[in-house]
Amino acid sequence: MPNQKPVFISFYKALLFIIFTNVALVTSKSTIEPCSNSDSCNSLLGYTLYTDLKVAEVASLFQVDPISILTANAIDISYPDVENHILPAQLFIKIPILCSCVDGIRKSVSTNYKTRPQDTLSSIADSIYAGLVSADQIREANSIADPTVLDVGENLLVPLPCTCFNNTDNGLPAIYLSYVVKPVDTLAGIAASYSTTITDLMNVNAMGSSSVKAGDILAVPLSACASNFPKYASDRGLIVPNGSYAITASHCVQCSCGPGSLNLYCTPASLAVLFKHAM
Ligand SMILES: *[C@@H]1O[C@H](CO)[C@@H](O)[C@H](O)[C@H]1NC(C)=O
Ligand SMILES: *[C@@H]1O[C@H](CO)[C@@H](O)[C@H](O)[C@H]1NC(C)=O
């Protein structure tokens, strides 16, 4: 609970905050996917590390399985102590997250952040979560009346952008990456880095022009291999992006996708993987 302050001060600050953030809202765009059912789907976040972090620390920041971060980035998980491997500041990685449907919009709501001394909503949004969320969105999601007062150890819901678009793009299997545009980016450059076209990015993101601004969040379709084995309930929707792999079927099976053909290639998982999960 936010601490109780005289009502008029909180109201005045909230008003200033609303005026300020409405100005900010006009300048940053992100792609919204309406949804109607309660099914969740698989999606990726493009994340740039704000500091050196262990794999396990990144996993805890997003509350995902460290192994899933490693496999989504095609990092070998067979060597010892891989969860304590240090990823350097500014490294760009893909974080696999579950994309839910909340109030008719696709959104990831499975991430919570515990505040530390010195944190502000802006530092959490812009630095720690690298622009994937805005200070205003965190404020709204947690009904924070006075954003200037954050208690240390407060547990904040961090809503994150995601889209699935039925895990297809132009009729082919795809998984969508929420990508925060950097100052140096152009749409052509982003299209080239992810083996897609400017036209496709403009269609997916319903863009009227090909100009992008730093801080915009684009949905970038990544070609993927989709499974059609209905045997394992939890793996029904297994979808693996080109150039990466996944561990599935209670960690017994390792499935990879590409780079040559986009057919899912599955083998029994190595003993190293089984051992990690037995610990
Ligand atoms: C979603 O994709 C499935 C096949 O993967 C298809 O059967 C279904 O019609 C699609 N739904 C929509 C709304 O496009
Ligand atoms: C899959 O990835 C490889 C590089 O890893 C790339 O050369 C190829 O074009 C990609 N395929 C598709 C369909 O995107």
Side-chain angles (χ1 to χ4, degrees):
M1 276 280 119
N3 60 351
Q4 297 299 307
K5 290 207 141 194
V7 170
F8 64 94
I9 293 180
S10 297
F11 176 75
Y12 185 57
K13 276 186 183 159
L15 191 66
L16 277 182
F17 191 76
I18 289 163
I19 293 167
F20 178 74
T21 50
N22 275 352
V23 173
L25 276 181
V26 178
T27 59
S28 236
K29 294 190 220 84
S30 76
T31 298
I32 306 252
E33 178 190 359
C35 53
S36 52
N37 59 32
S38 59
D39 289 355
S40 35
C41 45
N42 294 305
S43 172
L44 295 166
L45 296 168
Y47 177 62
T48 305
L49 274 75
Y50 68 103
T51 185
D52 294 355
L53 290 171
K54 290 178 184 175
V55 174
E57 290 171 333
V58 178
S60 123
L61 207 50
F62 291 93
Q63 274 121 57
V64 300
D65 177 4
I67 297 292
S68 74
I69 294 182
L70 294 161
T71 62
N73 292 280
I75 300 171
D76 184 5
I77 57 171
S78 61
Y79 60 92
D81 209 20
V82 68
E83 278 106 328
N84 286 319
H85 180 70
I86 292 168
L87 303 172
Q90 301 308 316
L91 181 72
F92 179 85
I93 56 172
K94 296 172 198 140
I95 314 270
I97 47 148
L98 211 54
C99 189
S100 305
C101 184
V102 182
D103 300 330
I105 290 172
R106 286 265 173 238
K107 197 186 281 190
S108 161
V109 287
S110 51
T111 296
N112 286 276
Y113 176 78
K114 201 171 197 157
T115 54
R116 296 178 292 197
Q118 317 296 326
D119 281 339
T120 63
L121 289 188
S122 312
S123 72
I124 297 168
D126 304 338
S127 166
I128 296 174
Y129 288 96
L132 284 164
V133 63
S134 68
D136 191 40
Q137 287 163 339
I138 301 177
R139 184 186 58 78
E140 242 171 58
N142 298 278
S143 311
I144 298 172
D146 184 354
T148 60
V149 180
L150 276 188
D151 294 331
V152 173
E154 226 176 302
N155 218 21
L156 299 178
L157 171 66
V158 180
L160 295 165
C162 63
T163 53
C164 296
F165 296 114
N166 203 25
N167 283 126
T168 55
D169 180 38
N170 297 320
L172 296 171
I175 183 158
Y176 287 83
L177 173 77
S178 297
Y179 180 84
V180 183
V181 174
K182 300 183 176 77
V184 294
D185 281 332
T186 62
L187 198 63
I190 298 167
S193 334
Y194 293 103
S195 310
T196 184
T197 62
I198 296 178
T199 312
D200 195 28
L201 287 180
M202 288 180 69
N203 287 343
V204 165
N205 294 282
M207 296 164 73
S209 91
S210 64
S211 71
V212 285
K213 277 205 209 72
D216 286 353
I217 299 176
L218 295 179
V220 177
L222 308 184
S223 303
C225 304
S227 86
N228 37 30
F229 29 84
K231 289 180 274 192
Y232 315 106
S234 63
D235 300 326
R236 243 181 311 131
L238 183 66
I239 179 154
V240 181
N242 180 19
S244 72
Y245 65 107
I247 304 289
T248 184
S250 309
H251 309 115
C252 292
V253 175
Q254 175 164 334
C255 297
S256 59
C257 175
S261 101
L262 293 186
N263 290 321
L264 206 56
Y265 178 75
C266 298
T267 58
S270 72
L271 283 177
V273 173
L274 286 173
F275 180 64
K276 271 195 188 80
H277 281 274
M279 289 194 304

